[in-house]
Structure formats: C-alpha cells, structure tokens
C-alpha cells in the first residue's frame, strides 16, 4: 500500500507531466518489477534514473525503453544522491553509455553539479540534457537566494550556449521552486519526489500536484 501503478496513474490524471523512478540494486526505493509494470501504463514522460554501473540498471533501461534515462553516480551505500558526475574524469565511460542508450532511442540526461566545466564535459559525452543537482540551492535559499542560485544561472547559460537541454532536481519544494524556475533560462523539467509526497500527506495528492504545477506557471 499504496498500489504503485494506481498511484502513478492518478499522478498523471491529477496533472503530473512525467513519472520518475530510481532503481537501486537493493530495490529499497523501487523494485525492478515495478519498472516493467509502470512501463505498461505510463502515458506521460517515463524517466528512469540511477547509477549505470550498478546492478541491472542498463539491462532494465534497455528492456523498458523509457522516454529518458538520467545517469546518476550514486553509490549503493548512499542514502540518496549527493553529487553530480565528474564528466571530465569519467568522460569516456559516459560517452559509451550515452551512445548505448541513444542507439536504443532513449533520450539521455547526465546528473551534474552547477559547474560550467562539468557542463562542458557533459556536452563532450554526446548527452541530450543535463540535470542540475539542486541541493546547494535548496540549502542556501532561505539565507541568500540570489547567492544560492547564481552558480545555477551560470551553468544554465553554459548549457544553453552548448545546446544542451536543462533538467533539475533534488530538494526542490513549494517554497523554492518558483524562484528557481523564474531564474533558470531554458529549464525544461524538474523531478520532485520526497517533498511532493510530504506535502501530499497534509494537502492531498491531487491538490499538491496542482500546487507544484502552479509554481511552474502551469
């Protein structure tokens, strides 16, 4: 409980524009079977994110062919994602992975910190998009939102200059989402999980999704 497939369908019905899952080898957040079950029913964007060097990730992504795969360098020991890729050090490995997924018709996004050099490194891999890791923005938002968002604006400008699509995620919520959306040029997509579910406990799932869409101007 709740039924995962029904919940995903309800999220779409309530206005969500995509469903994201993040499988890990220990299946603590999502089971591999859930990915196959969701593939059969999701009609909006389907995004599978995770570490492509662990477990059955590549196999499962290629078997389900989601709209997008987001490559995240989190280790099994991590409670949650805590850093973007070093797209320079791991460039050759990422190039191979990007090509593997793109050859299967899957759009690729690489999880990166808001660093222009990491954006440039991502471009060199051939990826379609980058996902900006927004924890530092969320942490600094209440203290100095202009300072917190400054590196993200620079990173987004570099991504736009290089022709990369821009996604974002991690610790975005109803308090900080609108300001981020208003200030990041070319922002295409945000992934929000934990905060949305926390809000839904108090506000209800349908209402919460509508509130997040409103923060994005939808």
């Amino acid at each position: 409980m709740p039924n995962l497939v029904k919940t995903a369908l309800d999220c779409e019905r309530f206005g969500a524009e995509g469903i994201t899952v993040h499988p890990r080898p220990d299946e603590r957040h999502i089971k591999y079977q859930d990915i196959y079950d969701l593939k059969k029913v999701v009609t909006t964007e389907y995004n599978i994110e995770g570490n492509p060097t662990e477990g059955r990730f590549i196999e499962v992504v290629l078997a389900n062919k989601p709209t997008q795969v987001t490559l995240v360098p989190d280790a099994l020991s991590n409670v949650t994602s805590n850093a973007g890729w070093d797209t320079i050090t791991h460039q050759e490995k990422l190039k191979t992975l990007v090509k593997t997924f793109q050859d299967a018709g899957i759009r690729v996004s690489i999880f990166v910190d808001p660093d222009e050099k990491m954006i440039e490194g991502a471009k060199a891999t051939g990826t379609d998009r980058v996902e900006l890791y927004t924890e530092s923005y969320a942490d600094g938002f209440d203290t100095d939102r202009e300072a917190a968002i400054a590196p993200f604006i620079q990173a987004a400008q570099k991504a736009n200059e290089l022709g990369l699509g821009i996604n974002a995620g991690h610790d975005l919520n109803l308090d900080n989402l609108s300001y981020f959306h208003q200030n990041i040029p070319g922002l295409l997509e945000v992934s929000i999980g934990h905060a949305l579910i926390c809000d839904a406990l108090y506000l209800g799932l349908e209402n919460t999704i509508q509130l997040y869409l409103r923060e994005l101007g939808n």
Side-chain angles (χ1 to χ4, degrees):
M1 295 176 68
N3 180 292
L4 181 72
V5 170
K6 181 181 185 303
T7 301
L9 290 173
D10 284 340
C11 285
E12 290 185 317
R13 184 164 59 86
F14 297 153
E17 297 169 316
I19 301 295
T20 292
V21 295
H22 190 138
R24 289 177 166 86
D26 61 7
E27 300 185 289
R28 68 183 184 270
H29 289 164
I30 198 91
K31 292 179 167 47
Y32 287 124
Q33 184 58 47
D34 294 333
I35 297 169
Y36 290 85
D37 294 342
L38 288 168
K39 171 63 178 179
K40 297 174 185 175
V41 299
V42 169
T43 57
T44 58
E45 174 168 311
Y46 192 23
N47 175 45
I48 302 176
E49 64 176 36
N51 189 336
T53 67
E54 289 192 336
R56 296 161 48 195
F57 186 84
I58 295 175
E59 168 197 336
V60 169
V61 171
L62 292 176
N64 286 276
K65 294 189 177 177
T67 317
Q68 175 175 272
V69 59
T70 301
L71 308 181
V72 183
D74 57 349
L76 181 59
S77 58
N78 289 0
V79 174
T80 186
S81 307
N82 61 3
W85 284 97
D86 182 332
T87 57
I88 298 171
T89 301
H90 300 289
Q91 192 164 114
E92 293 307 311
K93 175 170 67 178
L94 288 168
K95 277 183 182 178
T96 300
L97 290 163
V98 167
K99 185 176 188 305
T100 296
F101 293 125
Q102 288 177 339
D103 284 350
I106 304 167
R107 186 174 74 228
V108 181
S109 178
I110 294 178
F111 196 61
V112 294
D113 296 317
D115 181 318
E116 291 183 61
K117 293 202 175 300
M118 294 303 108
I119 301 293
E120 291 170 348
K123 175 64 177 179
T125 70
T127 190
D128 303 290
R129 295 188 184 184
V130 291
E131 178 172 333
L132 299 176
Y133 171 43
T134 50
E135 182 182 17
S136 63
Y137 163 73
D139 284 347
F141 179 77
D142 289 334
T143 305
D144 187 341
R145 63 184 63 185
E146 290 185 6
I149 204 168
F152 291 88
I153 294 173
Q154 291 178 343
Q157 289 171 339
K158 176 58 69 174
N160 287 330
E161 175 188 317
L162 296 174
L164 290 172
I166 302 170
N167 299 340
H170 211 287
D171 293 340
L172 296 174
N173 57 41
L174 287 174
D175 293 327
N176 61 37
L177 179 58
S178 178
Y179 185 77
F180 189 84
H181 174 247
Q182 290 167 7
N183 285 279
I184 298 302
L187 182 64
L188 298 173
E189 177 181 305
V190 291
S191 290
I192 302 173
H194 184 76
L196 189 147
I197 296 302
C198 289
D199 290 330
L201 291 173
Y202 290 92
L203 304 172
L205 186 58
E206 181 173 8
N207 184 42
T208 298
I209 289 173
Q210 291 298 311
L211 289 171
Y212 274 93
L213 288 170
R214 190 181 306 166
E215 294 301 300
L216 293 167
N218 294 349

